[in-house]
Amino acid sequence: MAATLDQLFVQLLHGMTAPLPEAIRPWVALAISLGAILAVFGLCFGITTVCERKAIARMQNRLGPNRVGPYGFLQFAADGIKTLTKEDIVPRTADQVVHFLAPLALLVPVVLTFLVLPFGRNMTAMDLEVGLLFFFAAGASTELAVFMAGWSSRNKYSLLGAMRAIAQMLSYELPFILSTIGVVMITGALSTTKIVEAQAAAPGEWLARWHVFTPWGLAAFLLFLIAAFAESNRSPFDLPEGESEIVAGYFIEYSGFKFALFFMAEYLGMFSSSGMAVTLFLGGWTAPFAFLDWVPSWMWFFGKLGVLIALFIWVRGTTPRLRMDQLMDFAWKFMLPLALIILPTAAIWHYAGRGWLGWLVTAPIVVGAYVLLGRSLVGRRRIRQRSYRYAAT
Amino acid sequence: MSPIFYFLAMLTLGGAVAAMSLRNPVHCALSLVVTFVGLAGVYLGLGAHFLGLSQVLVYVGAVAILLVFVLLLTRGSGKDEFDERPDRWWPALGVGGGLGGVLIAVVLAQPGLALRTAPPELPTVRALGESLMTDFVLPLQVVGVLLTAALIGAAVLALSDRRRTPQDSGPVTSREEGETRR
Amino acid sequence: MPSHGGATAKVPTEAGAPRGPDAYRLTAGDNEYDDGSLLEISMGPQHPSTHGVFRMDVVLDGETVVKLKPVFGYLHRNHEKIAESASYLAAMPYTDRLDYFCSLTNNWAYALAVEKLAGLQVPERAEFLRVITAELTRLQNHVCLAGFLMQDMGASGTPLMYGFREREKILDLFEALTGARMMCNYMRFGGCRCDTPPGWLEEVRKVVDRFPRFLDEFENLLSSNEILMARTQGIGVLTRDLAINAGITGPVLRSCGVDYDLRKVDGYGLYPKFQFRVPLGDHGDTYDRYMMRILEMRESLGILRQALDAIPEGPILDPKSKLRGFRPKPGEAYGRIEAPKGELGFYLISDGSPNPYRYRIRPPSLINLTVLEDLCLGHNVADTVTILGSIDIVLGEVDR
Amino acid sequence: MLGIGLIKGLAETGRNFVGSYLDPDRLVTVEYPEERLPVKENFRQFPFLVFDGEKADIGLRCVACQICEKECPPQCIYIEKSKDKKPDHLGKPQFYPAVFDIDISVCMSCQICVEVCPFDAIKMDQQFELSTADRFRGLLLTRDRLAKPNSHFQAIHPRDAAEIDMRRVDERAKAEAKAKADAEAKAKQATAAAPGATKAVASTPKPAAAPANEGAIS
């Protein structure tokens, strides 16, 4: 029963493609998977926007949307109808073609990144040997779309936003990729499926071998997550759309459905980055404890995804935004060195083993590097809490 | 020679032609990106997954951005169009054609290369990595040193022209004493 | 990046070159900066962060501000002239609309000026009520300011909502006392308009007792936040001399270490009777300006507690004061108080007629705004927004 | 260490997230059309004219003295005096407003008209749902729309209304007593001097001008 449930979607796909001729079967399967991904994550996008608004509202002691549908959960449908029926305004001076293509150029690569995510056991739409590379390659293509949007609008704010976005994405691409290299080193594979399988609990062990349970893995996970915040332009790294400074950044001149596409691409990017974080560090679809193996694998994946997205929302409800130069400093002076330090640490862990020796050797390196780098980052700017004096009365 | 190949070839060539013929430099750069993507598609179609994806990652993700940045930062605003038509296209054609001829000649002169036959086996990433780390370790290191030197040089060039901002130098406190405003 | 002819920002390259804001100021006469190297953007009047209809003409070199021209007047309502053509009493509701966050302190400043002019005495209970309402006003103003400041830094509105939540409780008190939440129109020449409704002082005490908990939460959320500190420390430094020369008052002045609080200096109202301290900053940057407000709120709570303990029964209006046919004898008077934003002064000349001959306001927002360019030069465009937020302006008062 | 402040902040928002479900002091939102807060007694919105008795055109307290029109800071009141006179509650003939308009798109709810009114005729209403599709006539309150019975005033400002009612009853009683005394005196005079040739003019005393600043609120 559990196995059936686990392989439910795999069987379904198999059943749908089985009658087809051999030659086109993989392509049809890919198309169906893509359709399913779009449907599932499109719905996720809708629900997440509502949940985010409600959660942030609760953090701010408000009620949040509660008018459309039960508890306001159909708000996203209302929003969707609104954006679809809105007039699509293109500035007269805008570069019409590029302006039109930008949202598409942003959305397509983002959707492609989902193809290599293993949503469950045997549930990878495109099980490439170089899946991780595919993910990053597709993700890197979004930068250009952001530039296209900002440049073609012929708006000073959008140009500033585009410049910020590109600078930010390029800078965070490095720690984003580097933080995953440790996983590749330990696993010895670029295939996302293999990376997940390597994190399952070994026979006889009760705890899974998630990479986040190791000192280097925890640090790399946090780095990856921070870089994912930056890559998906989420607070506190939402400078490209910093609404208090440059109003909406690169998509300031977009309205209606095109704006919705940008919005959707942002959320899908968040999902795919979170999914990759789950895959690389949180064991993908594997259960944390061996005795929980009976829960269907895709449930684990989506559960972990939900936790990470909740984290994204939580952070957004809390932090102010960084400034551009601080963002750059943080990427190049903190995250990049730390990511580079994590690489040899992962190698040491590989040879020292999973036991106490590994912990004893690697944990101090990671913690020490974190403290020193953090102190140098903050200390150079003399940032600290201050004490204040009072006038003598 | 599947339809996909023809599509990719058309994409690649069309992008290249557009990159050469369009008037707006940013459009040219974006067309070049199409070429890069098409080329990556060709690599993927040949089974060179690693190469194809690296092509996207490096060329689309970095080189194209660099091109666009250079275009935007070095040209004044409002000069989006090329000012004059390239009238000396004869020498350009000569140089380009010569280079193309040399490349084609080199490719055709490769021993044992027969078109229309797939390579016997697809090299895995592991094999690629191992050969890079064993057989080609010296070239790899040389290239690495070269690139590092270029990077440092660029950083030095950029640093010499950098202006100090208050954010870099900590709190600005040294406004002249007793100065009145304006 | 070298700029091509035309205007340049004076770029300090060698040692000894001017540092500080002046290093970035565009040289005079160089208005042809549109050569592609500088970017002029117009922030406002319809911009999410300009606190009303305020516009900043910002010239950027990259993202560094090299010129900033504040443009205001979009909200000009001819307040002073209207007040000169109407009776003394009729100007009172208009003062509510100056700094619409702090209508009660505006009322007080105007009432103070008229009382000086007409020689009216304020009964003690009315003085206590004035202190209580003024300090409550200070609380809600500072709370909102801190929230808006964080909003300008992109904090998704969370601190702003917390600030508004607390402000709401104070506004409820105002509503119960004066009948309106923002446009209170409460004070009269020689006292206050009405006495407290039954149980109002207990309600105030409840709010005052709960407020410190909120302040602690606020500080937990923000004051030690690394991003906030990085965004505000060393940003928009206002020096002592510039502040004094430019006539800056209020928390902005105290943040650069100048001990000048009209509640201590003038000792108007009943402030000499209360124990409170004046917090001072040492750096004069945005963080200090923010912290001044937080610390002042704690002092205000102390004043409120003392006032609530000591408030006597009694009349609330000077029997000599009258509403209709109020004609002060000829003369002039300047009444000023420490409004939440700084020194708010009303200058009045009476020629014995029912309306003032001259009516002039010294608005703290406008005067504090004059240093905006000095604070912003050389900083990032994102910092102009936070610096503007930390100066704490209300356009109703700037434009009048 | 870097990050501590952020984690503190996260804990704070997390606590507020949970607290918004548990602590009514945190979740202060009122879902307005369904839920309504009790209106505070002192709350003021736009002015209305008080009338006594049942009929607005008979019992209107306003005597069209036009003080409020003069004192109104934004000058949003327009009054036209009547040609004829009607007796007020004390029986004294008074003018009444033939036209009394308040443009509430101009009115700033400052309550000064209420404070300066010597007749307790104009008071502040608490009706705030006044949105209208007609921005000209819909926002111009005429005399008929402004006139509201004393019972309405008693309902929204009970403390105030009770005091004013008491004072008015006193005044009336005094006035009646005086009228009676006058009538008796007159009757005595008449019987003493020339019976039958008297003009029965009941010279009622002027209504004691209520201290304006007190009548409204305290």
Side-chain angles (χ1 to χ4, degrees), chain A residues 59-61 156-157 164 243-245 316-317 319 321 323 326 383-384 386 388-391 393, chain C residues 40 42 47-49 63 152-153 156 158 162 165 230-231 233 235 264 278 280 282 285 288 383:
Chain A
M59 282 175 207
Q60 298 171 350
N61 296 329
K156 287 170 182 173
Y157 287 122
R164 284 179 172 196
E243 74 277 347
S244 62
E245 305 134 26
R316 182 173 166 204
T319 56
R321 184 183 303 130
R323 204 177 52 211
Q326 295 162 346
I383 289 165
R384 58 173 190 279
R386 294 174 182 167
Y388 287 88
R389 64 200 165 92
Y390 290 89
T393 40
Chain C
E40 183 183 8
S42 171
H47 188 277
S49 60
E63 280 208 31
D152 289 342
M153 288 181 207
S156 298
T158 309
Y162 293 167
R165 183 189 70 203
R231 281 296 300 276
Q233 293 194 350
I235 299 302
K264 295 278 187 197
V278 179
L280 296 178
D282 290 322
D285 53 11
D288 273 5
D383 288 331

Side-chain angles (χ1 to χ4, degrees), chain B residues 136-152:
Chain B
F136 298 99
V137 69
L138 190 64
L140 188 72
Q141 292 305 316
V142 169
V143 168
V145 168
L146 187 70
L147 287 177
T148 311
L151 210 64
I152 292 171

Side-chain angles (χ1 to χ4, degrees), chain B residues 73-77 161-167 169-182, chain C residues 1-2 11 19-22 24-25 36 61 234 237 239 241-242 245-246 370-371 373-374 378-380 383:
Chain B
L73 292 183
T74 54
R75 304 172 66 87
S77 63
D161 197 27
R162 195 176 74 151
R163 79 181 44 150
R164 290 173 67 78
T165 64
Q167 290 105 45
S169 55
V172 182
T173 48
S174 67
R175 198 183 163 86
E176 282 78 10
E177 293 287 313
E179 185 202 1
T180 47
R181 298 187 59 253
R182 267 165 277 187
Chain C
M1 189 188 358
V11 181
R19 286 179 67 219
D22 279 345
Y24 296 92
R25 201 186 295 279
D61 182 2
V237 176
T239 54
D241 298 311
L242 177 62
N245 285 333
T370 50
V371 289
E373 183 177 12
D374 299 77
H379 286 299
N380 199 296
D383 288 331

